[in-house]
């Protein structure tokens, strides 16, 4: 009952849906999990270009976050090994 598709005429709802998906994708990518099921779900829910842009944004943010955290906190550990 509470789950309804976003109204494409309401820009705020669409931006909120794409942003939530991109944030979830970033977290998923940060954890190093397979993104295939998440991207497949986005393909079923969103149109092609907004879904592709949201996926690319989430993957870029998640991978960058993992890189910078690893570079900052794990660099001394790797250099010692």
């Amino acid at each position: 009952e509470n789950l309804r598709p976003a109204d494409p005429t309401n820009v705020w709802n669409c931006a909120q849906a794409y942003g939530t998906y991109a944030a979830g994708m970033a977290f998923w990518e940060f954890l190093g999990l397979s993104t295939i099921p998440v991207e497949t779900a986005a393909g079923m829910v969103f149109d092609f270009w907004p879904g592709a842009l949201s996926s690319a944004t989430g993957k870029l943010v998640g991978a960058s976050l993992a890189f910078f955290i690893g570079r900052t906190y794990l660099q001394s550990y790797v250099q010692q090994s």
Side-chain angles (χ1 to χ4, degrees):
E1 179 179 310
N2 291 333
L3 296 176
R4 292 174 301 213
D7 179 13
T9 59
N10 188 336
V11 175
W12 174 247
N13 282 345
C14 289
Q16 192 175 19
Y18 297 139
T20 301
Y21 169 74
M25 176 61 115
F27 181 69
W28 198 267
E29 179 78 22
F30 171 74
L31 293 177
L33 300 172
S34 174
T35 59
I36 294 171
V38 180
E39 289 175 315
T40 303
M44 290 187 281
V45 174
F46 301 125
D47 288 335
F48 178 77
W49 287 114
L53 183 62
S54 297
S55 287
T57 302
K59 288 181 95 168
L60 177 68
V61 169
S64 298
L65 186 63
F67 171 78
F68 288 120
I69 287 176
R71 176 106 177 178
T72 303
Y73 296 107
L74 299 176
Q75 185 175 14
S76 61
Y77 173 75
V78 171
Q79 287 178 345
Q80 289 175 353
S81 296

